Amino acid sequence: MAAGSCLLLLLLPWLVTTSHSPPGCKIRITSKGLDLVKQEGLRFVEQELQNITVSDLHGKEGQFHYNISQVKVMDLQLAFSDLHFQPQQHLVFNINNASISLRFRRQLLYWFFYDIGSINASADGVHIHTVLQLSKDEAGRLKISNITCNASIARMHAGFSGTLRKVYEFLSTFIITGMRFLLSQQICPSLEHASLVLLNSVLDTVPVRNYVDEHIGIDYSLLRDPTVSTDTLDLDFKGMFFPRARENQELENHAVEPVIKETERMVYVAFSEYFFDSAMHAYFQAGVLAIELQGEKVPKDLEVLLRATFFGTIFMLSPAVDAPLRLVLQVSAPPRCTIKPSGTSVSVSAFLNISLVPPDRPAVQLSSMAMETKLSAKVFLQGKALRVQLDLRRFRIYSKQSALESLALFSLQAPLKTLLQLTIMPIINERTKKGVQIPLPEGMDFTKEVVTNHAGFLTVGADLHFSKGLREVIEKYRLAPTTPAYPSSWPTEPSMDPHQL
């Protein structure tokens, strides 16, 4: 028994370590970003409080019968507010010394006298304290899972007028006390509905598991509940791409975990090598990292050089001398990304098959050569789209048959490199031009982005900008609170054409 307990204690640190899955993508929101969110959130809270519904107030004091109805919020002054982080998973929103102006309809019956009109009232010293608990839901999406709220009104007064003003002043204690109670009781339910229903509908617009194109998709599910410090909110996302033909396929993450230390900008987004490796692995699994050039698609200068290089072989294959050439370039293993402080690069291994394709006859292979290339990658953020632009840095070809043939192929090094630069690279960059969306709610975008490379990961520091207000986004998704995970405008079945790059 003792030996088993000791073994468990020895294994405990290892079990804790292995249970922590490193994120492929990480987002940090700082206090500066929270200040911007507070400004937009304050406008939203004002709109919600203006829609407060207060029950009618009626009663009897002696021969006086009164009824207060149609209570309407006319104006709010929320001058003193604060939104801040509270460890471990909370946001705290405080409103202090606010004022609410009201107007309501009065009805009074005293013996045979009946009076009707409106009354202007004011609630001053309004204090609201709310704590929002943030967590990961079952789908891996950030949600407000709970809210605690306390609201109080320090004082309230009403201005009475009309022939029965003295009577109202006599009854003002009853009326004002009742209105103060009813109003304070409606503040927290209104904010709870705004948080748990309306704000969560905005968080529903964050992409969790979406298609990128007809070949691959991305999984942005949260790995764990958010981590909140006094200055930051950190979100760990899976950040894994997958082939649409194998949507349940998992790629184990062995990359360095991104570490964000900065707090100067409103938001930081970090991507590990795993994020980019999984994208290239998904494309490789989808079978689209290949291209075929035949006949007129082969550049003339390259065709002349290839025919001269393989002249003897072609001559021996007569009458196939005039047959068109076919070049098939295919990646032989998933490309790998390397991120260093000096820059980002992608290593690619491929093979190139050169064949003659005589009409109505089987193709005749002239050569099969291996290729090793290294591409430099420029990563940048535009709006909410992460984009990559690739450029050919190094290129080498060699024969898989013999060293002698590798020497003979040396003359093809330069023209094939030119072929890659002029023909293949534009196709690849056109595919990466669209980019992939970063998991932010709709209506929120990045500005002033700066990319910084580290060992094993890169970070994008940026400021935030609201292109749409919270109310606008909520109204848009009121009938359909969640966005479809797989947009119907894309094909339901992935294309498996191996000749698409």
Side-chain angles (χ1 to χ4, degrees):
M1 183 69 178
S5 301
C6 292
L7 181 61
L8 181 61
L9 290 174
L10 290 173
L11 290 176
L12 186 60
W14 180 83
L15 292 173
V16 172
T17 303
T18 55
S19 65
H20 181 86
S21 302
C25 171
K26 190 168 191 171
I27 291 183
R28 162 170 290 183
I29 300 175
T30 67
S31 295
K32 292 182 179 179
L34 199 61
D35 288 340
L36 179 68
V37 174
K38 185 190 80 170
Q39 297 172 20
E40 181 61 31
L42 197 59
R43 284 192 288 269
F44 175 67
V45 168
E46 288 178 350
Q47 294 167 350
E48 287 301 301
L49 293 181
Q50 285 176 343
N51 295 324
I52 283 179
T53 301
V54 180
S55 303
D56 294 349
L57 178 66
H58 55 84
K60 176 184 178 183
E61 292 295 329
Q63 299 301 321
F64 294 99
H65 298 260
Y66 60 89
N67 183 61
I68 302 300
S69 61
Q70 299 178 14
V71 181
K72 184 178 181 181
V73 177
M74 303 302 296
D75 185 44
L76 293 99
Q77 297 294 329
L78 309 180
F80 304 100
S81 62
D82 173 60
L83 179 65
H84 63 269
F85 297 117
Q86 176 179 291
Q88 299 291 325
Q89 295 171 231
H90 300 93
L91 288 178
V92 179
F93 183 54
N94 289 319
I95 295 176
N96 296 311
N97 203 25
S99 63
I100 304 176
S101 298
L102 305 169
R103 174 173 288 181
F104 47 86
R105 186 172 181 265
R106 72 173 188 263
Q107 292 174 291
L108 177 67
L109 177 64
Y110 177 64
W111 293 102
F112 302 106
F113 297 97
Y114 180 69
D115 184 48
I116 187 171
S118 61
I119 298 177
N120 293 324
S122 174
D124 298 319
V126 179
H127 297 273
I128 305 173
H129 177 76
T130 56
V131 179
L132 307 178
Q133 182 176 358
L134 304 175
S135 63
K136 175 181 76 73
D137 69 4
E138 293 182 358
R141 181 179 273 112
L142 178 66
K143 281 298 180 70
I144 300 171
S145 57
N146 192 27
I147 176 174
T148 57
C149 175
N150 294 293
S152 63
I153 299 174
R155 54 196 174 276
M156 189 167 184
H157 59 85
F160 300 99
S161 61
T163 57
L164 299 178
R165 180 170 59 86
K166 294 296 184 181
V167 176
Y168 276 110
E169 289 177 354
F170 172 74
L171 295 172
S172 63
T173 301
F174 301 102
I175 295 174
I176 291 176
T177 301
M179 287 301 301
R180 177 181 168 188
F181 174 78
L182 291 174
L183 180 61
S184 63
Q185 290 298 302
Q186 292 301 315
I187 292 175
C188 283
S190 177
L191 295 182
E192 288 172 3
H193 176 267
S195 301
L196 297 177
V197 178
L198 301 183
L199 289 182
N200 274 337
S201 72
V202 176
L203 293 176
D204 280 336
T205 66
V206 176
V208 173
R209 191 175 174 88
N210 279 16
Y211 289 151
V212 176
D213 54 28
E214 64 268 30
H215 303 295
I216 69 170
I218 185 168
D219 188 337
Y220 270 134
S221 57
L222 281 170
L223 294 174
R224 55 193 65 89
D225 289 333
T227 303
V228 179
S229 71
T230 55
D231 300 313
T232 59
L233 166 67
D234 288 341
L235 301 167
D236 290 347
F237 296 93
K238 191 172 186 177
M240 185 199 77
F241 293 82
F242 56 86
R244 287 185 57 180
R246 304 177 182 89
E247 293 186 1
N248 295 323
Q249 178 176 290
E250 292 285 332
L251 182 64
E252 195 169 349
N253 187 352
H254 298 289
V256 173
E257 179 172 349
V259 178
I260 305 175
K261 298 181 179 179
E262 299 88 350
T263 57
E264 292 77 16
R265 306 296 294 276
M266 291 185 182
V267 64
Y268 291 89
V269 188
F271 305 94
S272 74
E273 292 174 343
Y274 172 81
F275 180 86
F276 301 100
D277 283 347
S278 68
M280 293 180 288
H281 186 272
Y283 274 124
F284 180 79
Q285 290 290 318
V288 296
L289 296 184
I291 191 169
E292 180 181 305
L293 302 176
Q294 182 173 321
E296 295 181 355
K297 292 184 178 181
V298 179
K300 278 297 179 185
D301 293 344
L302 180 60
E303 180 182 5
V304 171
L305 183 59
L306 288 174
R307 289 186 180 276
T309 302
F310 300 105
F311 174 77
T313 305
I314 294 174
F315 186 79
M316 295 296 293
L317 294 173
S318 180
V321 176
D322 295 327
L325 282 173
R326 181 173 67 191
L327 279 63
V328 177
L329 176 64
Q330 186 161 351
V331 174
S332 56
R336 298 298 302 270
C337 174
T338 302
I339 303 176
K340 297 180 179 179
S342 57
T344 303
S345 62
V346 178
S347 300
V348 184
S349 297
F351 59 83
L352 176 65
N353 289 333
I354 303 174
S355 308
L356 285 172
V357 258
D360 302 323
R361 294 182 59 187
V364 180
Q365 182 170 300
L366 299 177
S367 179
S368 178
M369 59 187 76
M371 301 174 56
E372 292 181 357
T373 61
K374 180 162 283 191
L375 311 175
S376 61
K378 179 184 178 182
V379 181
F380 59 98
L381 202 60
Q382 190 170 4
K384 274 190 294 192
L386 182 73
R387 300 178 178 178
V388 180
Q389 185 173 2
L390 299 169
D391 188 31
L392 184 60
R393 184 194 299 176
R394 275 187 271 172
F395 172 79
R396 184 172 77 93
I397 60 171
Y398 57 93
S399 172
K400 296 195 295 183
Q401 276 77 35
S402 66
L404 184 62
E405 187 176 5
S406 295
L407 185 63
L409 295 175
F410 185 78
S411 61
L412 296 176
Q413 185 98 3
L416 285 177
K417 184 177 182 180
T418 302
L419 172 69
L420 287 175
Q421 289 175 324
L422 299 181
T423 306
I424 310 301
M425 295 308 300
I427 297 175
I428 297 175
N429 283 323
E430 184 63 29
R431 179 176 292 277
T432 60
K433 183 179 179 180
K434 179 183 176 182
V436 59
Q437 185 179 352
I438 304 303
L440 276 186
E442 183 171 340
M444 186 179 289
D445 294 316
F446 296 108
T447 61
K448 303 176 183 177
E449 307 90 347
V450 176
V451 179
T452 305
N453 279 44
H454 304 272
F457 66 95
L458 59 86
T459 60
V460 182
D463 289 337
L464 291 172
H465 166 69
F466 278 95
S467 58
K468 296 179 182 177
L470 290 175
R471 177 65 56 187
E472 183 180 355
V473 177
I474 289 169
E475 291 300 326
K476 178 179 178 181
Y477 290 95
R478 182 174 292 275
L479 297 178
T482 57
T483 54
Y486 303 100
S488 57
S489 59
W490 286 327
T492 56
E493 292 296 331
S495 170
M496 294 300 291
D497 184 357
H499 304 301
Q500 297 184 27
L501 185 63

